[in-house]
C-alpha cells in the first residue's frame, strides 16, 4: 500500500509541475509581455487628462495558415501547426483586449492565407475558424483587403472580391471616428492594369472630396519609397524589399500610383501591412507611413507585434503611436520539451530505485527485520534449496504410494486418486512446429534475444516506466487542452 501511494504521490508532483509550467507559459508570461504595452497618451495644452483620447488597435496579417500553406506537409503535422498558430494568436489577442481595452480595432488585410483561391465551402469553414479566434463585433473593421484575400493586380478575381466585401465590408470605404476619417483603400485592385478590376478603386479615389478633416489611410500594400530609406531600429530584416514580387504579390505600390494616392488623400499618417515586418518612414511631403508587423508567429518573424494608435481631435488633431510586442513564440515549446525530458528522467529514476524490491528474495516469515537475498548473487543457493525441497516432496509421495495387487510386481506402485492428472492444452501439432522452430538457428537466436530483452526490461523496470510515461503524457495533454486551450474560446 505504501508503494502504491508513493507512485501516485510522484505522479501528482509531476502533474502539479506541468500545471504550473502551463500557467506560466500560456497565461502569466503572455500577460507580462503585453502588460509592458501602454497607450501613448496624447494631451491637449489645457487639459492634462488623456481619458478623451481614442485608442485604436491595428492588427496586420493574421493570415491563418490552412491546408494550402505548406504543400506536402504531413496531415498530422499540418493540423498541429494550425492549432499552434491559432492558439498563439487567440491567447495574445484575448490579453490585448483584456489589458488595453481598445475603442476600435482595424485589420490591415491578409485575414486568411488562401481566401483568393478557395471555394465558397472552404472559405466558409476558414471564416468560422477566423471568427472563433477574433470574435467580431461592431467596433472591429476587417474591410482592408490583402493579396491573400482577393489576389493582387491582374490576379484579382472580381467574384472573390465581391465575396470578401459581402463578408467583411466594402474594400474602399471612409469611416469617421470622432471627427477623423479612416480611409480604407483597395491597393491590390487599384494596382491592376485591367479596368474591370481597378475601376471601382480608381473611382473611389478620384471622387474623394478635398480634405477638411484629419485623415488616416489604411491599405494592405505599402506605398513606394526610396529603397535606400531606413525603416528604423525596430525592424528585424536588414532592408525593405521595395521591388519584391511573387505569385499574386508585390511588396509595394508602383511609384507613380503612390504619389497619386498621397496627393489625393493627404493622410496625416498611413498604416500598411503585407511585409510582416516593421517599417517607419516619411515620404516626400511629410507623409508618415508605418508598416505594421504581423500578429502571427508563422510569418517568419521572431517578434510578432501589433500597433497602438491614440489620437485626440478635441481642439486640434494630435496622435501618437507605439509598437506592442507579443510574447516571443516557440519559447514555450522549448520549455515543454525540456520539462518532458526531465519528467522522463524522474520517472526512470524512480523505477530504477524501486527495482530492487522486484529482484530480491524476501523472507515470508513474520520477522521484525526482513532479510533480502539478492537473486543474482545467490541464485545457486536458491536453486540448490529448491532441488532439495523437490527431492523431499518426491520421497514423501513415493512412501505413500499404494502397493498393487499380489499378481503384480512388488515394486510397482500406483498414484493415489487425490493427485490430479495434468494435461497440455496446446495441440501436439503446434507444439511440434514450435519445437522444430526452436531447434533451428533462427529459433535459438530468437529465444536468446527474447530472454535478453525480457531480462533487460525487468532489470530496469522499463515496462513500468513505459506505462507511467504513457499515463503521464495522456494526463498532461488532457490538462493542456481542457485547461489552457478550450478556455480560450
Amino acid at each position: 500500500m505504501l508503494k502504491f501511494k508513493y507512485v501516485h504521490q510522484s505522479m501528482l508532483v509531476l502533474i502539479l509541475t506541468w500545471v504550473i509550467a502551463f500557467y506560466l507559459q500560456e497565461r502569466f508570461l503572455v500577460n507580462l509581455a503585453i502588460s509592458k504595452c501602454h497607450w501613448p497618451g496624447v494631451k491637449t495644452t489645457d487639459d492634462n487628462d488623456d481619458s478623451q483620447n481614442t485608442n485604436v488597435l491595428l492588427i496586420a496579417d493574421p493570415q491563418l495558415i490552412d491546408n494550402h500553406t505548406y504543400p506536402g506537409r504531413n496531415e498530422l503535422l499540418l493540423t498541429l501547426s494550425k492549432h499552434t498558430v491559432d492558439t498563439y494568436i487567440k491567447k495574445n489577442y484575448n490579453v490585448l483586449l483584456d489589458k488595453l481595452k481598445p475603442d476600435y480595432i482595424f485589420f490591415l488585410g491578409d485575414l486568411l492565407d488562401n481566401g483568393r483561391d478557395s471555394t465558397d465551402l472552404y472559405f466558409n469553414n476558414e471564416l468560422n475558424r477566423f471568427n472563433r479566434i477574433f470574435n467580431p463585433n461592431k467596433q472591429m473593421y476587417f474591410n482592408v483587403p490583402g493579396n491573400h484575400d482577393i489576389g493582387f493586380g491582374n490576379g484579382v478575381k472580381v467574384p472573390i472580391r465581391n465575396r470578401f466585401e459581402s463578408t467583411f465590408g466594402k474594400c474602399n470605404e471612409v469611416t469617421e471616428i470622432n471627427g477623423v476619417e479612416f480611409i480604407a483603400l483597395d491597393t491590390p485592385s487599384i494596382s491592376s492594369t485591367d479596368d474591370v478590376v481597378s475601376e471601382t478603386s480608381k473611382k473611389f479615389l478620384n471622387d474623394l472630396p478635398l480634405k477638411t478633416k484629419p485623415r488616416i489611410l489604411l491599405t494592405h500594400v505599402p506605398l513606394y519609397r526610396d529603397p535606400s530609406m531606413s525603416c528604423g531600429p525596430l525592424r528585424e530584416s536588414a532592408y525593405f524589399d521595395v521591388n519584391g514580387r511573387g505569385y499574386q504579390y508585390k511588396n509595394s505600390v508602383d511609384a507613380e500610383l503612390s504619389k497619386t494616392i498621397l496627393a489625393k488623400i493627404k493622410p496625416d499618417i498611413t498604416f500598411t501591412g503585407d511585409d510582416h515586418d516593421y517599417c517607419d518612414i516619411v515620404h516626400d511631403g511629410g507623409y508618415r507611413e508605418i508598416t505594421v508587423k504581423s500578429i502571427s508567429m508563422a510569418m517568419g518573424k521572431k517578434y510578432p507585434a501589433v500597433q497602438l494608435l491614440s489620437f485626440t481631435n478635441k481642439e486640434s488633431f494630435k496622435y501618437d503611436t507605439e509598437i506592442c510586442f507579443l510574447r516571443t513564440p516557440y519559447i514555450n515549446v522549448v520549455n515543454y520539451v525540456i520539462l518532458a525530458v526531465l519528467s522522463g528522467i524522474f520517472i526512470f529514476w524512480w523505477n530504477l530505485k524501486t527495482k530492487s524490491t522486484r529482484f530480491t528474495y524476501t523472507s515470508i516469515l513474520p520477522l521484525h527485520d526482513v532479510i533480502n537475498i539478492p537473486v543474482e548473487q545467490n541464485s545457486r543457493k536458491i536453486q540448490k534449496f529448491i532441488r532439495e525441497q523437490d527431492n523431499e516432496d518426491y520421497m514423501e509421495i513415493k512412501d505413500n504410494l499404494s502397493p498393487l495387487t499380489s499378481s503384480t510386481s512388488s515394486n510397482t506402485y500406483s498414484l493415489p486418486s487425490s493427485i490430479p492428472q495434468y494435461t497440455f492444452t496446446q495441440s501436439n501439432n503446434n507444439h511440434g512446429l514450435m519445437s522444430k522452430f526452436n531447434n533451428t538457428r533462427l529459433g535459438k537466436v530468437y529465444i536468446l534475444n527474447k530472454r535478453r530483452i525480457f531480462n533487460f526490461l525487468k532489470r530496469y523496470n522499463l515496462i513500468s516506466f513505459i506505462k507511467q510515461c504513457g499515463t503521464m503524457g495522456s494526463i498532461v495533454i488532457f490538462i493542456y487542452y481542457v485547461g489552457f486551450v478550450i478556455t480560450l474560446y
Side-chain angles (χ1 to χ4, degrees):
M1 181 64 68
L2 290 176
K3 185 169 65 176
F4 178 82
K5 288 182 178 179
Y6 181 73
V7 172
H8 285 73
Q9 288 171 357
S10 302
M11 297 289 279
L12 182 60
V13 170
L14 285 178
I15 291 171
L16 290 175
T17 302
W18 276 97
V19 170
I20 293 172
F22 285 145
Y23 173 76
L24 289 175
Q25 298 295 329
E26 305 296 326
R27 296 292 186 269
F28 177 77
L29 293 177
V30 175
N31 278 267
L32 182 63
I34 296 177
S35 66
K36 299 175 182 178
C37 301
H38 302 283
W39 294 108
V42 182
K43 296 179 173 60
T44 58
T45 55
D46 59 351
D47 186 5
N48 292 325
D49 183 13
D50 61 358
S51 60
Q52 300 300 315
N53 294 340
T54 302
N55 298 320
V56 179
L57 175 63
L58 295 153
I59 298 175
D61 301 88
Q63 202 169 321
L64 302 185
I65 64 174
D66 61 10
N67 298 340
H68 304 85
T69 305
Y70 305 109
R73 178 170 289 191
N74 177 272
E75 184 177 353
L76 178 61
L77 186 58
L78 180 60
T79 301
L80 181 61
S81 300
K82 290 195 290 186
H83 157 75
T84 303
V85 175
D86 289 1
T87 302
Y88 176 84
I89 295 175
K90 180 64 176 178
K91 67 186 177 185
N92 280 280
Y93 179 72
N94 284 352
V95 178
L96 285 169
L97 297 188
D98 182 60
K99 296 291 184 183
L100 299 176
K101 296 179 173 55
D103 298 316
Y104 299 93
I105 303 172
F106 284 89
F107 286 73
L108 299 175
D110 277 1
L111 308 181
L112 307 176
D113 190 47
N114 198 45
R116 62 194 176 195
D117 292 321
S118 59
T119 63
D120 288 345
L121 178 61
Y122 189 86
F123 175 82
N124 288 330
N125 289 334
E126 292 302 298
L127 176 62
N128 290 334
R129 181 175 153 217
F130 180 89
N131 289 339
R132 285 196 302 271
I133 295 174
F134 292 108
N135 191 23
N137 60 58
K138 63 182 181 179
Q139 294 176 312
M140 301 168 68
Y141 298 88
F142 305 94
N143 56 314
V144 176
N147 57 299
H148 282 266
D149 298 315
I150 65 172
F152 180 84
N154 292 341
V156 173
K157 301 173 184 176
V158 175
I160 296 297
R161 187 178 66 191
N162 292 339
R163 182 179 68 186
F164 179 89
E165 290 191 320
S166 65
T167 305
F168 298 111
K170 291 183 178 181
C171 295
N172 299 285
E173 185 74 285
V174 178
T175 303
E176 185 175 328
I177 299 175
N178 296 337
V180 176
E181 294 179 336
F182 285 79
I183 300 177
L185 180 64
D186 181 4
T187 44
S189 294
I190 203 172
S191 299
S192 175
T193 59
D194 185 348
D195 290 339
V196 175
V197 174
S198 61
E199 180 184 5
T200 304
S201 298
K202 288 179 178 178
K203 186 177 186 305
F204 169 79
L205 182 63
N206 292 329
D207 289 348
L208 280 175
L210 293 175
K211 179 180 177 180
T212 58
K213 299 177 181 179
R215 284 177 171 175
I216 295 176
L217 173 61
L218 307 175
T219 81
H220 178 69
V221 184
L223 303 179
Y224 188 86
R225 75 285 311 274
D226 185 342
S228 64
M229 293 184 70
S230 171
C231 287
L234 297 177
R235 183 175 179 82
E236 291 186 40
S237 323
Y239 66 97
F240 187 97
D241 187 6
V242 175
N243 299 309
R245 292 177 179 270
Y247 171 70
Q248 295 197 30
Y249 164 79
K250 192 172 182 297
N251 208 36
S252 67
V253 176
D254 289 341
E256 290 303 317
L257 180 58
S258 296
K259 291 179 181 178
T260 301
I261 292 172
L262 291 174
K264 185 64 179 177
I265 298 178
K266 300 184 185 302
D268 293 85
I269 187 171
T270 299
F271 292 99
T272 58
D274 193 44
D275 185 59
H276 302 165
D277 206 348
Y278 188 82
C279 189
D280 188 352
I281 63 165
V282 178
H283 294 279
D284 292 339
Y287 300 113
R288 185 183 181 188
E289 176 186 343
I290 292 180
T291 301
V292 179
K293 297 195 74 168
S294 171
I295 191 177
S296 174
M297 64 183 287
M299 297 299 109
K301 301 304 172 187
K302 187 176 180 180
Y303 304 107
V306 295
Q307 196 71 22
L308 307 181
L309 169 67
S310 292
F311 71 87
T312 179
N313 199 29
K314 187 175 182 181
E315 297 173 349
S316 61
F317 177 70
K318 293 182 179 181
Y319 78 88
D320 197 359
T321 181
E322 290 183 2
I323 192 172
C324 173
F325 288 101
L326 309 181
R327 164 81 165 146
T328 304
Y330 301 111
I331 291 180
N332 59 335
V333 176
V334 173
N335 287 325
Y336 296 152
V337 171
I338 294 174
L339 184 56
V341 172
L342 293 177
S343 298
I345 292 173
F346 176 81
I347 295 174
F348 178 76
W349 169 82
W350 184 85
N351 279 276
L352 198 63
K353 179 182 177 182
T354 57
K355 80 176 180 64
S356 59
T357 60
R358 301 165 185 252
F359 285 87
T360 56
Y361 174 77
T362 305
S363 172
I364 62 174
L365 297 177
L367 301 177
H368 180 72
D369 296 322
V370 178
I371 302 175
N372 291 330
I373 307 174
V375 174
E376 294 177 352
Q377 299 177 4
N378 300 274
S379 58
R380 292 182 180 178
K381 294 181 181 179
I382 293 175
Q383 291 174 6
K384 182 179 178 182
F385 171 77
I386 292 174
R387 282 198 298 270
E388 290 174 354
Q389 293 298 314
D390 289 343
N391 289 336
E392 290 179 4
D393 292 341
Y394 171 74
M395 294 304 297
E396 182 178 353
I397 293 174
K398 184 176 179 181
D399 292 341
N400 292 331
L401 289 176
S402 302
L404 291 173
T405 58
S406 56
S407 61
T408 61
S409 175
S410 59
N411 59 354
T412 306
Y413 297 87
S414 62
L415 292 173
S417 59
S418 60
I419 297 178
Q421 304 295 316
Y422 296 99
T423 60
F424 289 104
T425 57
Q426 189 177 12
S427 66
N428 292 333
N429 247 355
N430 292 337
H431 184 66
L433 290 174
M434 184 58 68
S435 297
K436 289 180 180 179
F437 173 74
N438 291 341
N439 289 329
T440 63
R441 184 175 180 181
L442 181 62
K444 291 177 181 178
V445 172
Y446 166 75
I447 293 173
L448 181 61
N449 289 321
K450 181 180 178 181
R451 288 175 180 172
R452 285 176 177 173
I453 293 172
F454 180 73
N455 289 335
F456 179 80
L457 292 174
K458 289 190 67 177
R459 180 182 300 276
Y460 297 102
N461 263 3
L462 292 182
I463 295 176
S464 176
F465 166 75
I466 293 171
K467 289 180 179 178
Q468 290 174 19
C469 284
T471 303
M472 188 67 199
S474 301
I475 294 173
V476 166
I477 292 173
F478 176 81
I479 291 173
Y480 172 72
Y481 276 95
V482 173
F484 296 92
V485 175
I486 294 178
T487 54
L488 290 174
Y489 295 91

